[in-house]
Amino acid sequence: MSLFGLFPRKKTASAARDRLQILLAHERTGGGGSSELLAKLREEVLAAIAKHVSVDETRVNVSMKNEDEMSIIEIDLEIPHADLPRLRLAASR
Amino acid sequence: MSLFGLFPRKKTASAARDRLQILLAHERTGGGGSSELLAKLREEVLAAIAKHVSVDETRVNVSMKNEDEMSIIEIDLEIPHADLPRLRLAASR
C-alpha cells in the first residue's frame, strides 16, 4: 500500500515555519496485545527530533489512537525557519 | 489535520506477522531546500527499530518521494510473532 499523497500541501498560518509529520502505525494480526512497542518508538523518535530541533521553539502535537488490532501515533511539529540551518548541519554529520 | 483511519485493516498474507508502518513527511514552506533532516530521521528510526526487532527476521521496505516543497519517507515492516514477547519486554524497560 502506498500512502504517498496523503499529506495535502495546505499553507500553514506562518510562512516562516516548516512542518514535520510522523505517523507510527502498529497493526496486530491475531488480535489482542497492547502496543508498548509503539509507545517506546514514540519516545525514541521524539528524542531523535530533539537532537536536531530546539523543542522550546517548536510547536509539537502528539496524538494516539488505540483500537483492538491497531494503534496509531501521530506526531506533528512546526519548526521555525531559524532552526533550519542548524538542522541541515546536524543532518549532514 | 487528522490522519487517523488512513491505514485500512486489511489482512496480510501471513497471520503470524504484525505490521509496523512509519511515515515521515517534511513540508518546506517558502519552497526550496532539500530534506537532509528526513534522511537523518529515517536512519535514527531504523536504528531504534533494530534495537527491538531482529532485522534478519523482519521484512523491511523503505521508499522515499521528493517533491519541490515536500519529502515523504515510508517505512513498512512485517514483524514475526516470535519477536513480539521480546519486543514487549524491551518496550517495558
Side-chain angles (χ1 to χ4, degrees):
Chain A
M1 178 176 60
S2 173
L3 293 167
F4 290 158
L6 293 177
F7 297 86
R9 290 196 200 183
K10 66 177 177 183
K11 291 288 175 194
T12 51
S14 165
R17 286 174 171 267
D18 276 17
R19 189 157 173 232
L20 184 65
Q21 275 191 299
I22 298 166
L23 253 75
L24 306 165
H26 184 196
E27 184 187 12
R28 297 181 296 278
T29 57
S34 59
S35 196
E36 295 97 344
L37 169 64
L38 218 55
K40 186 70 182 171
L41 285 178
R42 179 191 59 197
E43 295 312 309
E44 301 208 14
V45 167
L46 286 171
I49 292 167
K51 275 197 249 174
H52 305 299
V53 180
S54 60
V55 176
D56 56 330
E57 287 292 324
T58 301
R59 296 174 195 156
V60 184
N61 184 48
V62 181
S63 57
M64 185 156 188
K65 190 181 188 185
N66 266 312
E67 293 177 9
D68 281 353
E69 295 186 346
M70 173 78 90
S71 299
I72 300 178
I73 290 174
E74 182 183 348
I75 303 170
D76 206 314
L77 301 98
E78 285 184 26
I79 306 167
H81 276 187
D83 263 7
L84 292 178
R86 200 158 68 84
L87 284 176
R88 296 209 176 100
L89 190 67
S92 64
R93 266 175 212 151
Chain B
M1 176 177 62
S2 172
L3 292 168
F4 289 160
L6 292 177
F7 296 87
R9 289 195 201 183
K10 65 177 178 183
K11 290 287 176 195
T12 51
S14 165
R17 286 175 172 263
D18 276 16
R19 190 157 173 231
L20 184 65
Q21 273 191 300
I22 298 166
L23 253 75
L24 305 165
H26 184 196
E27 184 186 12
R28 298 179 295 277
T29 58
S34 59
S35 197
E36 295 97 344
L37 170 64
L38 219 56
K40 187 70 182 172
L41 284 179
R42 178 192 60 196
E43 295 312 312
E44 301 208 13
V45 167
L46 286 172
I49 292 167
K51 275 197 252 175
H52 305 299
V53 181
S54 60
V55 177
D56 56 329
E57 286 293 323
T58 301
R59 296 174 195 157
V60 185
N61 185 49
V62 181
S63 57
M64 185 157 186
K65 190 181 188 185
N66 266 311
E67 294 178 8
D68 282 351
E69 296 186 347
M70 173 79 90
S71 299
I72 300 178
I73 290 174
E74 182 183 346
I75 303 170
D76 206 313
L77 299 98
E78 285 184 28
I79 306 167
H81 277 187
D83 264 6
L84 293 178
R86 199 159 67 84
L87 284 177
R88 297 208 176 99
L89 189 68
S92 65
R93 267 176 211 150

